[in-house]
Amino acid sequence: MRGAAATGREQSCDLLVIGAGPAGLAAAATAAGHGLRTLVLDERPAPGGQVYKQPGPGFRILDPARIGRDYLRGTELARRARESGAELRAGTEVVALRGTDAVVVESGTSYPVNARRLLIAAGAHDRPVAFPGWTLPGVVTAGGAQALVKASRVVPGNRVAFAGSGPLALAFPAQLRHYGVNVVLVLESGPRPGPAALAGIARAAAGNGELLRDAAGYRWQLARYRVPLRYRRIIVAAEGDGRVEEIVHAAVDAAWRVVPGTQQRVAVDTICLGYGFVPADELLRLAGCAFGYDEDLGGTIVQRDDWTRTSVPGVLAAGDVAGVRGALSAADQGCLAGLRAAADLGALTETQAEQLARPVRARLARKERFRAALAPLYAVGPGIYELAAPATVICRCEEVTRAELDAAIASTGDVNVIKSYTRAGMGLCQGRNCRRQVAALVAASTGMSIADVPLPTPRPPARPVALAALADDSIRDEGLFIRD
Amino acid sequence: MSAHPALLLPAAKDLAAALPASTDVAVIGGGLAGCALAYYLARAGVDVVVVERGELNREASGTNAGSFHFQIAIHQLTGSDGDADAARLHEDVRLHADAADVWSGLEDELSADLGVHVTGGLMVAETDDELRTLIRKQRIERDAGLETELLTGRELRDFAPYLAGDLTGAVYCGREGHANPLLAAPAFAARAIEAGALIRTHAPVLDVEEASGPGGTRFRLRTGAGDITAGRVVNAAGAWAPEVAGLSGLSLPVYSDGLHVNVTEPRERILTPMVQHIGRRLTLKQAANGTFIIGGGWPARPERPPARYSVRWDSAAGNTAVAVRVVPALRDVRVMHMWTGVIAFTDDLLPVVGEYRGLPGYYLCLASTGFTLGPIIARTLAEHLAGRSGGRLPAGYAPDRVPALTRG
């Protein structure tokens, strides 16, 4: 793309991978291993993504064996990617896309990268949930707390309540406890797994032993530390003077709607929320990919074929960005994407690619059966989007309350018009935190399903970018609204 | 800060009301011009129905940057002939001074917070040639009664220390400023409905027929929400006015382009006036919430429907380059998002307002690049339609001046 200043950086490649998590690293290792000029970009200072997060610069690992399996997996994936010949550029942000070309911001300057194939593997972020008090200092997301603990070795809070859901949700409080965090209460909005559900999981679990062991291990760890674990309960409010001092939690039904009369109060100074993840889909939306909907995978989900191809020619999507399935599945999807790019660009024949993909697809199918068996247990209930009171801020960036959104929704059901009236979603986070909540309000008011509420128009840049990094004095003014 | 309620919007059920069988005035287009027309007509007791094909305020009216441009801009000057510019622009500049009055009283008139801020505006020059152009244009403005002031050297440095030190001069107009383009048209619509207007969204006009009757020509509009007959029709369809005119066999030379705008993260206030450039494309201001809005006429890329325009990265790079050249402190401010909008304009860049004599009863209300002028031309046309004596529109705005406007 014109308009991004030249900096002497490599400006073209065969495969451009955005995101150095499990999917991106596996794709890079595969593609570069088959001879593709592969460039991997990641906004973090080190590769590994969220799950396989590596310590930031300034931290040195003294004893890798003690730091955990995820760290070692991340190191291994990054090593494989590097040894395959792929180039990793950490600390880079992709701010705009057109087709398979990207504008990259790095060290205060921007440059274009022209790629023949583009893989978006940007991962996922915590599912934001708004309730009265959710914007108080002391409320952190599981991903945020995990990042703090893993990358910076900083422990949040003195008395921590965890609330969340999902097969691996208990990993967060167990991990926090492991690092010395005083977790005083764990709330799981899903049900206590009953015998029938466990039997179903066991049937689907063939080849997924590691996942099952993980889930059991987390529960065991919590029990060992005597952390109270309560099922079918959520946090409905946080209160405090200037920061979290107390929470109200309540029992919920299968739709995650509060059962009246079950409210209880607990004094805590930190709330850690882990209601699962949603795809970080802004680049997919900027690329113009078509979307479908699957609540269990995180809501709006990019449409793909069985080679990870999106509806936009040349653009692939792999890992949690294409539906939250976890790190192991992401690496396999990345492998498929790498094979696809290699076949597309002539480094592999179609037959070779098919052969190499077969075992990968078999593994993915096993994981998918396991996930499908677990999903109903932890399906996100609509009640989680109905907690905000009129004065609750829904859009933090622009400080828009539920009452203001309700006023706009009384005038129109069009999400873009609601955004224009209230500014909800126009701030720094570009709607990542309020989009689902606004869609839920529109759905509730119009009677339409949340799946049918359209996405607001995506706007570049995908990340804020300094004017100096953007500006290019050589661009000629073409003279708009002057006719020849 | 405005003391008026935060968000004045028409109710969804009103915008979905059934069309009546007939009305006096049918307005096509629910942008700023159409909504303001509905308001001023209903207040004057005229029976009015607005039909809008989509949602209100979604095109040029709601996608511009909300600036009040009272100074003559670069694209209005031919550059070759000062006297011709003066003659052509004289009435235009005078109407802009009246537009300033309308905007400064509009929040009280509508009892709504429209984000109106009169901040003043600077038009800067970078070269000696540009400074000469500034001096020439300031003379036209002064003769037309628009108060502006030429600042150079030390005077400019003291008045606007945030500007690059090597600019050659600037013209300051104290009346310039901005409003929130997202809220003005909806507020007009809400008050129009209160005053008795009917405004119907999702009602695309599919056909316009004329039928002669005892009371003269009547117009029959076939819309996606039913049929309606009207004594008079106002085409206020902005960039889509040529298509609407085509339904009546009129060929209307109105063009449209995609426009690029950047918005930054909020910062502490460093800049009060709007800043424009006489020689390069720049409109820059710091909004009440601290964000900088940077535009000025850089193009966006046309897309296939239903998309309109997408961001051109070269526009972002060129636009921000001019911005940091003029206000160097912006270098480390981050662009938060970019949006694209449509802009409609005519060959002479003047509005087209009034009755088309070739088709009695058919009116046009199109402000060329005209958030600034929307309310005043709507008000003036409404006075005319209501049979009241009111302000006069410049002769240069008359539809009949447009040589290419033909029927057949």
Side-chain angles (χ1 to χ4, degrees):
Chain A
M1 279 191 272
R2 275 186 64 213
T7 58
R9 276 296 212 174
E10 175 77 30
Q11 309 288 309
S12 73
C13 59
D14 292 328
L15 174 64
L16 176 63
V17 179
I18 303 174
L25 290 174
T30 306
H34 290 290
L36 264 51
R37 288 182 308 130
T38 304
L39 174 60
V40 187
L41 306 175
D42 197 286
E43 60 187 349
R44 294 193 174 88
Q50 174 74 6
V51 175
Y52 298 159
K53 188 185 295 295
Q54 306 293 295
F59 293 92
R60 201 155 57 87
I61 304 303
L62 298 174
D63 182 2
R66 289 193 55 193
I67 198 163
R69 190 184 62 200
D70 289 343
Y71 165 77
L72 296 174
R73 277 219 174 101
T75 309
E76 167 64 14
L77 267 175
R79 188 188 57 76
R80 271 185 53 212
R82 274 205 193 84
E83 283 175 2
S84 69
E87 184 190 348
L88 260 62
R89 285 184 200 163
T92 53
E93 289 175 327
V94 173
V95 291
L97 291 175
R98 179 163 175 78
T100 54
D101 297 338
V103 177
V104 179
V105 172
E106 181 178 5
S107 309
T109 185
S110 62
Y111 56 90
V113 173
N114 302 114
R116 300 171 73 192
R117 289 293 179 274
L118 170 66
L119 170 64
I120 298 174
H125 59 83
D126 295 271
R127 171 180 275 116
V129 168
F131 51 81
W134 75 291
T135 53
L136 280 174
V139 181
V140 297
T141 60
Q146 190 187 42
L148 213 58
V149 169
K150 277 193 180 178
S152 310
R153 299 286 177 269
V154 173
V155 167
N158 294 316
R159 287 177 57 82
V160 179
F162 174 88
S165 179
L168 299 180
L170 299 184
F172 294 109
Q175 216 166 45
L176 291 177
R177 189 65 192 80
H178 174 75
Y179 283 110
V181 178
N182 180 28
V183 182
V184 297
L185 178 65
V186 173
L187 304 174
E188 159 64 76
S189 34
R192 185 184 296 279
L198 288 174
I201 294 167
R203 267 198 306 282
N208 291 289
E210 189 180 331
L211 288 170
L212 262 192
R213 276 196 302 281
D214 282 356
Y218 298 136
R219 216 175 318 160
W220 179 80
Q221 280 180 46
L222 288 175
R224 188 163 66 94
Y225 288 119
R226 303 188 187 286
V227 178
L229 168 59
R230 302 181 66 181
Y231 289 93
R232 276 276 183 253
R233 291 188 79 84
I234 62 174
I235 293 176
V236 297
E239 292 167 12
D241 185 10
R243 66 160 296 125
V244 174
E245 292 169 359
E246 195 173 45
I247 57 163
V248 181
H249 59 99
V252 292
D253 61 17
W256 296 21
R257 293 198 165 95
V258 172
V259 179
T262 60
Q263 280 86 350
Q264 290 176 12
R265 290 175 171 273
V266 178
V268 301
D269 60 12
T270 302
I271 298 174
C272 181
L273 299 172
Y275 290 107
F277 292 86
V278 292
D281 62 9
E282 51 269 17
L283 288 173
L284 292 168
R285 292 167 58 216
L286 278 177
C289 299
F291 282 82
Y293 198 89
D294 187 329
E295 190 68 63
D296 294 338
L297 290 175
T300 44
I301 302 298
V302 67
Q303 292 176 3
R304 295 184 303 172
D305 67 7
D306 61 359
W307 275 112
T308 75
R309 284 179 289 211
T310 71
S311 62
V312 177
V315 178
L316 313 167
D320 283 355
V321 79
V324 179
R325 295 177 173 88
L328 296 177
S329 170
D332 281 337
Q333 293 174 47
C335 184
L336 283 185
L339 292 174
R340 184 65 258 159
D344 280 0
L345 302 181
L348 287 173
T349 66
E350 287 297 325
T351 318
Q352 286 169 326
E354 280 293 348
Q355 267 170 8
L356 291 166
R358 202 167 297 138
V360 182
R361 289 212 168 97
R363 276 202 305 274
L364 280 170
R366 272 201 304 277
K367 292 193 187 89
E368 191 58 20
R369 279 197 301 277
F370 182 60
R371 191 193 65 80
L374 281 178
L377 272 182
Y378 300 101
V380 176
I384 201 69
Y385 296 116
E386 297 165 7
L387 297 170
T392 306
V393 168
I394 302 282
C395 167
R396 304 178 77 144
C397 303
E398 296 287 329
E399 293 181 8
V400 183
T401 64
R402 171 166 183 180
E404 289 168 289
L405 280 162
D406 284 343
I409 293 169
S411 183
T412 178
D414 183 315
V415 288
N416 282 311
V417 181
I418 293 164
K419 178 173 158 184
S420 81
Y421 287 163
T422 62
R423 313 191 67 82
M426 284 191 186
L428 268 177
C429 90
Q430 297 247 30
R432 275 186 284 279
N433 284 307
C434 67
R435 187 176 101 204
R436 276 301 302 268
Q437 201 75 41
V438 173
L441 290 173
V442 171
S445 150
T446 58
M448 79 170 86
S449 152
I450 193 166
D452 298 326
V453 177
L455 292 163
T457 309
R459 302 283 183 204
R463 292 287 183 271
V465 49
L467 260 76
L470 236 172
D472 183 347
D473 227 354
S474 71
I475 303 289
R476 301 289 302 167
D477 165 13
E478 292 171 33
L480 192 61
F481 49 81
I482 301 291
R483 287 170 51 81
D484 309 321
Chain B
M1 281 314 280
S2 165
H4 298 294
L7 205 53
L8 177 65
L9 303 172
K13 65 168 172 39
D14 290 334
L15 299 175
L19 291 181
S22 70
T23 184
D24 180 356
V25 178
V27 177
I28 302 171
L32 181 58
C35 293
L37 261 175
Y39 170 76
Y40 291 116
L41 284 170
R43 291 286 299 240
V46 177
D47 198 16
V48 56
V49 171
V50 178
V51 283
E52 159 59 46
R53 74 175 164 182
E55 296 270 338
L56 297 179
N57 199 42
R58 291 304 289 163
E59 306 295 352
S61 302
T63 55
N64 70 89
S67 302
F68 305 150
H69 296 291
F70 301 131
Q71 297 192 52
I72 297 166
I74 173 71
H75 61 263
Q76 290 173 289
L77 295 167
T78 60
S80 56
D81 184 345
D83 289 343
D85 279 343
R88 186 168 52 85
L89 293 172
H90 205 90
E91 279 189 306
D92 190 47
V93 172
R94 194 171 292 158
L95 189 79
H96 278 76
D98 294 342
D101 293 337
V102 172
W103 273 112
S104 31
L106 200 56
E107 292 192 320
D108 288 336
E109 162 113 27
L110 298 178
S111 295
D113 181 357
L114 308 177
V116 174
H117 294 273
V118 177
T119 60
L122 284 161
M123 179 90 67
V124 304
E126 219 174 306
T127 65
D128 290 336
D129 264 0
E130 289 171 353
L131 181 59
R132 278 188 285 278
T133 308
L134 272 189
I135 292 168
R136 177 161 68 93
K137 99 177 179 74
Q138 200 236 345
R139 202 171 298 139
I140 301 173
E141 289 162 351
R142 190 193 56 212
D143 292 347
L146 181 71
E147 274 182 45
T148 52
E149 193 183 344
L150 183 69
L151 300 166
T152 55
R154 179 70 187 275
E155 226 180 353
L156 179 60
R157 241 60 80 211
D158 288 347
F159 183 78
Y162 41 81
L163 293 178
D166 58 346
L167 297 178
T168 54
V171 169
Y172 179 73
C173 171
R175 307 206 69 186
E176 290 189 313
H178 60 268
N180 185 340
L182 303 171
L183 301 182
F188 266 122
R191 294 297 181 218
I193 291 167
E194 278 176 17
L198 190 142
I199 300 179
R200 182 66 163 83
T201 55
H202 300 287
V205 174
L206 309 170
D207 200 10
V208 179
E209 289 168 22
E210 298 141 45
S212 304
T217 304
R218 288 189 70 77
F219 297 87
R220 182 171 188 78
L221 277 62
R222 197 158 59 77
T223 85
D227 295 359
I228 183 169
T229 60
R232 295 171 285 180
V233 168
V234 184
N235 179 346
W240 285 268
E243 289 173 31
V244 170
L247 299 174
S248 297
L250 294 172
S251 155
L252 178 64
V254 167
Y255 317 100
S256 54
D257 263 329
L259 189 67
H260 176 99
V261 187
N262 309 284
V263 188
T264 72
E265 62 189 333
R267 285 290 180 94
E268 272 180 41
R269 180 155 305 280
I270 62 162
L271 187 71
T272 299
M274 168 169 78
V275 179
Q276 292 180 266
H277 197 303
I278 189 66
R280 297 168 77 185
R281 305 225 173 235
L282 177 69
T283 302
L284 159 62
K285 59 179 171 277
Q286 191 171 16
N289 66 359
T291 62
F292 294 90
I293 299 169
I294 303 165
W298 289 83
R301 180 189 298 106
E303 294 286 350
R304 264 180 306 212
R308 293 253 194 278
Y309 297 95
S310 64
V311 163
R312 274 176 55 172
W313 204 255
D314 55 344
S315 283
N319 196 176
T320 51
V322 184
V324 298
R325 167 72 184 88
V326 171
V327 181
L330 291 176
R331 290 187 61 80
D332 72 327
V333 179
R334 295 181 303 167
V335 174
M336 195 164 69
H337 63 245
M338 303 166 183
W339 88 74
T340 59
V342 65
I343 190 161
F345 56 97
T346 54
D347 281 311
D348 57 11
L349 301 168
L350 293 176
V352 183
V353 189
E355 186 173 17
Y356 175 54
R357 288 207 199 108
L359 179 54
Y362 195 95
Y363 292 76
L364 294 147
C365 187
L366 307 166
S368 195
T369 71
F371 183 70
T372 306
L373 289 182
I376 191 161
I377 64 174
R379 191 181 79 178
T380 311
L381 181 60
E383 284 165 350
H384 177 77
L385 286 163
R388 296 182 176 185
S389 58
R392 253 173 39 82
L393 288 167
Y397 291 7
D400 297 288
R401 81 172 192 281
V402 181
L405 176 55
T406 52
R407 189 147 196 246

